[in-house]
Amino acid sequence: MLNPWRLSLLSRLDTLGTVRAVAKAANLSASSVSQQLAVLEAETHTRLLERTGRRVRLTPAGLMLARRARAILDHMDTVEAELRSLGEAPTGLVRLGAFQSAIHTIAVPAVTRLARSHPRLDIELLELEPHLSMPALRVGDADVIITTTDFVEQPLGPDVELVPLAADPIVLVVPPGHPAAGRGPADLAAYASEPWAFDIPQSYMANLATRLCREAGFEPRVVCRFSNYMMTLRHVEAGLSIALLPGLAVDKRYRVATRELATPVTRSITAAIRRGSPPRAAVDLVLEAIRSHPELPL
């Protein structure tokens, strides 16, 4: 009999590409992952993996089983949810992944409303930046994600269904007393000598900000890097830097000024679910709660 946990590891290998990446995602050692995949081969009496140098890859049989495994695991989740509900209000666990600025502006309000209207529904909220959320959705670590596909090189295919949510402008954020505060659209070239606050390296916002500065003709002088937008806003508020941030990330509790860009840049905020997975009333509820948010910047 096929073991769901080992099927999950095989599915992760198809999505993530390496045993090491699977081990990190599953909080296991690489040797443990290899052992479990070897057991799966023995259980199926089929060669699922082949070694190429120091890495392994899926055989045609392994690839077929990995792709089918996701559908099998989705169906098991659906059956468990149906058993728990038995015709009553939707119940069960829904894992909702969202990038940082969407957590407090979109995800938390949606979860709060659902907690009042459907108290038997369990929602696990995960902070996942766009470059991480799509793989998490594909391997089943998330059931619904709030993401953007504009500035992240994530392949989209027929296995993912996108639901447009909002348009969010990228803005220049400056201290309230800054000479740029209160003026019209900002030409980034005028800020070449300013100290900049950036996201951590290789994050989608750090890559985007770097690209926009270089397109404006300068290399930004980065004086700090934070993975948390609240820390960035505090640094800007203190007059120590300026920043490029998505509009949703600018918390009104901080005394900062924002300006639109002379060459507008907008990211499309999108919800996504796995296409073809069995319908789940709980997932549909979460998706509808996200879509009905009253303050989305449409």
Side-chain angles (χ1 to χ4, degrees):
M1 183 176 294
L2 294 175
N3 180 286
W5 182 56
R6 286 190 273 273
L7 286 177
S8 176
L9 294 178
L10 189 71
S11 176
R12 288 172 185 261
L13 181 60
D14 178 34
T15 300
L16 302 178
T18 67
V19 169
R20 187 179 297 276
V22 173
K24 182 177 180 181
N27 293 316
L28 297 170
S29 66
S31 61
S32 294
V33 172
S34 296
Q35 290 170 5
Q36 292 302 316
L37 293 175
V39 172
L40 183 60
E41 284 189 312
E43 290 175 336
T44 58
H45 305 287
T46 305
R47 188 183 180 195
L48 303 174
L49 307 172
E50 59 186 3
R51 184 167 294 279
T52 57
R54 300 181 62 183
R55 301 179 63 177
V56 297
R57 66 181 181 185
L58 295 171
T59 64
L63 187 61
M64 181 277 291
L65 183 57
R67 302 287 168 83
R68 295 288 183 89
R70 187 65 264 150
I72 292 170
L73 296 170
D74 282 343
H75 190 67
M76 292 179 67
D77 288 342
T78 301
V79 171
E80 289 180 1
E82 289 175 351
L83 286 173
R84 285 192 296 267
S85 64
L86 292 176
E88 299 176 1
T91 63
L93 174 65
V94 177
R95 293 155 295 188
L96 169 60
F99 54 83
Q100 185 184 149
S101 58
I103 291 282
H104 69 279
T105 54
I106 302 175
V108 169
V111 172
T112 301
R113 294 195 300 274
L114 288 171
R116 291 194 296 263
S117 60
H118 295 82
R120 297 182 60 197
L121 183 64
D122 296 323
I123 302 176
E124 181 180 347
L125 190 54
L126 311 168
E127 182 182 340
L128 295 172
E129 290 303 304
H131 66 287
L132 298 174
S133 60
M134 195 64 73
L137 179 70
R138 284 194 161 109
V139 301
D141 287 344
D143 301 301
V144 185
I145 60 173
I146 302 173
T147 187
T148 177
T149 58
D150 290 347
F151 314 118
V152 182
E153 296 181 358
Q154 287 292 338
L156 297 176
D159 60 326
V160 175
E161 179 178 349
L162 300 179
V163 180
L165 294 178
D168 188 26
I170 305 300
V171 296
L172 179 69
V173 186
V174 299
H178 193 280
R183 299 184 180 181
D187 181 356
L188 287 183
Y191 304 93
S193 61
E194 293 278 355
W196 287 86
F198 265 41
D199 207 327
I200 58 176
Q202 300 309 312
S203 64
Y204 105 91
M205 197 61 220
N207 291 341
L208 174 62
T210 299
R211 177 171 67 82
L212 293 178
C213 290
R214 288 174 178 172
E215 289 176 354
F218 68 95
E219 191 70 24
R221 180 166 63 90
V222 179
V223 298
C224 61
R225 288 185 180 271
F226 300 119
S227 62
N228 186 299
Y229 288 147
M230 303 301 105
M231 296 176 66
T232 299
L233 290 168
R234 176 63 64 86
H235 201 267
V236 172
E237 182 183 51
L240 300 174
S241 63
I242 65 174
L244 285 169
L245 291 178
L248 279 180
V250 183
D251 193 312
K252 296 178 181 179
R253 293 174 296 180
Y254 293 87
R255 295 182 60 253
V256 296
T258 61
R259 290 180 59 191
E260 297 180 354
L261 302 183
T263 302
V265 178
T266 302
R267 65 174 181 174
S268 299
I269 300 175
T270 305
I273 58 176
R274 289 189 303 280
R275 189 189 301 273
S277 60
R280 289 179 57 195
V283 170
D284 291 342
L285 269 177
V286 172
L287 188 58
E288 183 55 35
I290 294 169
R291 295 177 66 181
S292 62
H293 191 281
E295 298 180 2
L296 284 178
L298 299 174

